[in-house]
Amino acid sequence: MAAELVRGQNHPLSEVRLEIRISAGAPVLAGAALGDENGTVHGPQWVAHPGAPALPGIEVPRQAADRHRLAVDLSALPDAVHRVDVFLALPPGTAGPRRFGAVPAPHTTVNGPDGTELVCYTLTGLDAEAAVFALELYRRQGGWKVRAMGQGYAEGIPALLADRGLREAADLALAIQQATAQNLARAIPAPSSTLPSEEAATPVPQEPASAYDARPAHGRRPDDARTPGTRSPDDGGPIDYTHPRRSHRDATPTPTTAVSPAAGAQAARPVAGDAVGWSMEERLYNQVWGMFEDLARTTAAYRSAADFADSRLEKELDQVLTDPHGRLGSAVDAAREAAHARRDQLVGQARAALDRDLAQLTAESEVVEPALPPAYARWDSPVWHGHRVPAEPPPALRLGDLHLPESVPLRIPVLVRLPLERGLWIDSGPAAGPDGSFPDSAELRHLALEAAVALAARLLAVHPVEEFAVQIVDPAGAGARALLPLTHAGVLAAPPATGAAGVTDLLERLTRRVDLVHMAVRGGAAESLPADVDTAEQLLIVNDFPHGFDDRAVTRLRYLADEGPAVGVHLLMVADRADAAAYGPLLDPLWRSLMRLTPVPDDHLADPWVGHSWTYEPALAPAGSRIVEQVLAEVAAARAKYR
C-alpha cells in the first residue's frame, strides 16, 4: 500500500526507476532541479524544464498541463547529483490563475516501473505561491529517499531557482517562460471565439465502465495532456507536426552541457514512440494514450462549441419572439436568418478546428500503427507474420479499438496494462450488428467466443514459453467449433472442462492455487509452493455461464474474480447476463468486477475524463485469415522445443 506523506515527511524508495505523476486543478508546468550534497544547483544545465526536458536520469514534460508524468532513473544520475527537487509552477503570462491558493491542491504520486504506487503527497495549505517544490529525492546512506516538500514562492520560478543557489535564476526563468509560451499553443481548448461565455455539460454515458479501466488504477490519465501540434486556428494554416513531447535524444543535455531553450523547436512529421518511457513499448503505450486523450479533448471542444451555438440560437430566437415590434413584418425573418447564420458560423469554426485536429491524429496514427509490437498490433499487421515467442512479457495488450462518431474512420487502440488487474467479460447478449441488424442468439454466442479465442491467442503469443496458460470451462461443449484454433494447436493446459464434474474439478484446482500463492506471498515463502502448483499466469475462459454451475461453483468463480488477478489467475467470461437472472443481485458484484466487452461494435464504454460514449470494436482477425492459427502453431512449436 502506498505511503501517504505530509509536509516534511520522508520515505525510503525501494526502486530506482520511478514515474512521478502530478495532477492539478489547472495547467501547471513541471520541472526538476538537480543539486549537489548541499542542494546547490550549479547552472542552468542542471535544471530539467519545458525548454530542456531531458537530463541524464530524468525527463520532464514540454508543456503546461493539469496532469503530468515525469520519468526518473536514479541509477543514471551523475555521481555529483545528490538531490532531485521536483517543482511545479503556474505558467506566467497567461490568463490562468496566478497563485496556487486559487486552484485545487496539486496531488503527486511516485510509482515504480510496474506502475505500483509507492508514495503519494497532496500539496495542501498553499496560498500566494506561484511556484513550489513538491518533492525532493535525495541520497541517504547508499540509498534514495523521497521527502514531501510543499515549499512555495510567491515570486515564482526566479525565487524558487535562486533559493537553490542558481545565479542565472532570472535568465533561466525567462527561458522557461518562453518555452512554455511556445508549447501552450499546442493545447486544444474550445476556441474562445466559439465558446465565449459557456461550457456545455458532458452527457452521462450509458455505463460508467471506463474504456481504459485496466490502466494503473492510481493514474487516470496517461501523461501530461499531450496534445496535437501547433496550428493557426483562425487562418486555417498548415499543421505543425512537432510533437510537444519530442525528446531529441541525439542531443541529450547533461549537467555539464548547456542547452538552448529553443532546441527541438523545428517542425517534424509524427514519430512513433514520441513519448516518455523506459522502452519503445512503454513509449508507444504512452503515445497511444496521448492520442486517446487528444481525440477526447478535441471532440469535447467541438461538442461544447456546438451546444453553445445551439443554446445561443435558441435565446436569440426567444428574444425575437418576445419583442412585439419584431414579430411583425420582414424584420422577424431577417432576425431569424441572422441568428441562424451566427450559429452556423460558430459551428463551422468549431468543425474546422476539429477537422484539423483529426488530420493530425490521423497522420500520427498512420505512423504509430505500423510500428506497434505484436501485443499492441491489429491481427492484420505484418508484424505477426514474423512473430516469435518473446523472452519477456509486454507491458500492455490490445483489446480492440475505439472511435467516436465525429472521428470515423480514425481508430484508437484499446491498450490495457499487463498483468490484467481485473477480469474481462465478453457479453454474448442481444446486440445490434454493424449494419443495424440483430444477429440471432447462437451467432452472437459464437462471435463472442471467437473474440475470446483471439484474445487468448494474443496472450499466449506475447508471453514467454511456459509463463502463460489457458484453461477453458465449456460445460455443454457448445463452443467446440469456436475453440478449434486452441484445441487443434495443442496450446491448452488441459482439454476444456465439460460437465458439472469437470467444472467443479477445474474451479477447485484454481481456487487451491490462488489460496496457496496468497499464503506463500503473505508468509514470504514464495519458493515453498508445492511442486504441483503451476506458477504460470492463468487465463480461465468460462463459456455458457451459468450452465453446469451449482451454487458452490458460482461462489468459487466469484472468489477467483476477486482474488485471482493479484496472484496471476485471470477470468474471461463469455456469457449473457440474462442467462444468470435467476441468481438475482447475488451476481451483481461479479459483473461489476469485470470489464465488459462486446463481440460486435457497441458504444457502451465511457472515458472517465469527459464522459464520451466510445464505440468499441473487438480485435478480430480479418475474415478468411489464418493468422491466429499460424501464431498458435508458432507458440506450440516454441513450447515443444522448450520441453
Side-chain angles (χ1 to χ4, degrees), residues 512 514-525:
R512 174 176 176 267
V514 171
D515 287 338
L516 289 175
V517 175
H518 267 303
M519 288 189 292
V521 171
R522 291 174 187 145

Side-chain angles (χ1 to χ4, degrees), residues 220-239:
R220 286 301 181 191
R221 290 173 60 194
D223 53 16
D224 52 301
R226 185 189 60 78
T227 53
T230 305
R231 59 191 160 278
S232 176
D234 298 321
D235 61 13
I239 298 172

Side-chain angles (χ1 to χ4, degrees), residues 291 365 369 398 401-403 407-413 617:
M291 294 166 61
S365 177
E369 191 69 53
R398 186 176 192 148
D401 297 290
L402 295 175
H403 71 268
S407 68
V408 177
L410 175 64
R411 263 66 171 169
I412 305 297
E617 296 182 8

Side-chain angles (χ1 to χ4, degrees), residues 343-361:
R343 183 264 178 197
D344 293 342
Q345 180 182 13
L346 290 177
V347 174
Q349 291 175 353
R351 183 71 215 194
L354 174 65
D355 289 341
R356 287 194 296 269
D357 294 335
L358 292 179
Q360 162 120 16
L361 287 169

Side-chain angles (χ1 to χ4, degrees), residues 18-20 55 57-61 69-73 245 276-278:
L18 306 169
E19 181 184 65
I20 299 176
L55 296 179
I58 189 164
E59 186 170 355
V60 303
R69 283 187 178 188
L70 285 69
V72 181
D73 186 353
R245 301 301 307 277
V276 170
W278 299 113

Side-chain angles (χ1 to χ4, degrees), residues 11 51 76 83 106 115 183 228 291 358 396 455 463 474 541 569 579-580 597 602 617-618:
H11 190 274
R83 297 186 187 180
N183 287 325
M291 294 166 61
L358 292 179
L455 181 57
H463 279 84
D474 187 21
I541 301 177
V569 175
D579 292 342
L597 306 175
D602 188 80
E617 296 182 8

Side-chain angles (χ1 to χ4, degrees), residues 28-32 44-55 58-64 68 87 92 157 161 171-184 186 224 242-249 251-254 257-266:
V28 299
L29 62 87
Q45 67 274 17
W46 282 54
V47 181
H49 58 83
L55 296 179
I58 189 164
E59 186 170 355
V60 303
R62 293 187 64 93
Q63 70 178 70
H68 290 294
F87 63 84
I157 297 178
L161 295 176
D171 294 337
L172 182 56
L174 179 61
I176 293 174
Q177 178 179 351
Q178 293 172 346
T180 304
Q182 291 175 358
N183 287 325
L184 279 176
R186 319 189 74 84
D224 52 301
T242 305
H243 197 293
R245 301 301 307 277
R246 293 286 291 159
S247 301
H248 295 279
R249 282 174 173 71
T252 300
T254 68
T257 305
V259 178
S260 168
Q266 69 272 20

Side-chain angles (χ1 to χ4, degrees), residues 416-601:
V416 296
R417 283 288 190 183
L418 291 180
L420 297 172
E421 297 179 355
R422 60 188 296 197
L424 304 174
W425 165 34
I426 302 180
D427 190 353
S428 59
D435 57 355
S437 63
F438 284 82
D440 61 33
S441 176
E443 182 180 356
L444 273 174
R445 292 175 189 272
H446 180 76
L447 292 173
L449 196 51
E450 279 189 338
V453 169
L455 181 57
R458 183 183 293 266
L459 283 164
L460 287 167
V462 301
H463 279 84
V465 176
E466 301 297 327
E467 289 193 17
F468 196 89
V470 175
Q471 310 265 11
I472 298 177
V473 168
D474 187 21
R481 182 164 62 95
L483 294 171
L484 282 177
L486 294 173
T487 55
H488 277 189
V491 294
L492 296 178
T498 57
V503 172
T504 300
D505 178 66
L506 179 54
L507 293 180
E508 183 177 352
R509 284 189 283 112
L510 288 177
T511 301
R512 174 176 176 267
R513 179 197 183 279
V514 171
D515 287 338
L516 289 175
V517 175
H518 267 303
M519 288 189 292
V521 171
R522 291 174 187 145
E527 303 298 328
S528 301
L529 287 169
D532 63 337
V533 174
D534 185 0
T535 57
E537 297 273 326
Q538 304 282 325
L539 177 70
L540 175 62
I541 301 177
V542 178
N543 183 44
D544 208 15
F545 178 80
H547 183 80
F549 282 73
D550 57 20
D551 290 345
R552 188 173 184 182
V554 170
T555 301
R556 283 178 170 160
L557 189 68
R558 289 184 55 188
Y559 176 75
L560 292 176
D562 293 338
E563 302 296 333
V567 290
V569 175
H570 312 285
L571 190 60
L572 174 54
M573 297 276 289
V574 181
D576 179 359
R577 187 171 181 174
D579 292 342
Y583 286 92
L586 176 66
L587 291 182
D588 286 351
L590 172 64
W591 302 116
R592 286 196 299 266
S593 70
L594 305 174
M595 181 180 181
R596 178 175 174 258
L597 306 175
T598 54
V600 295

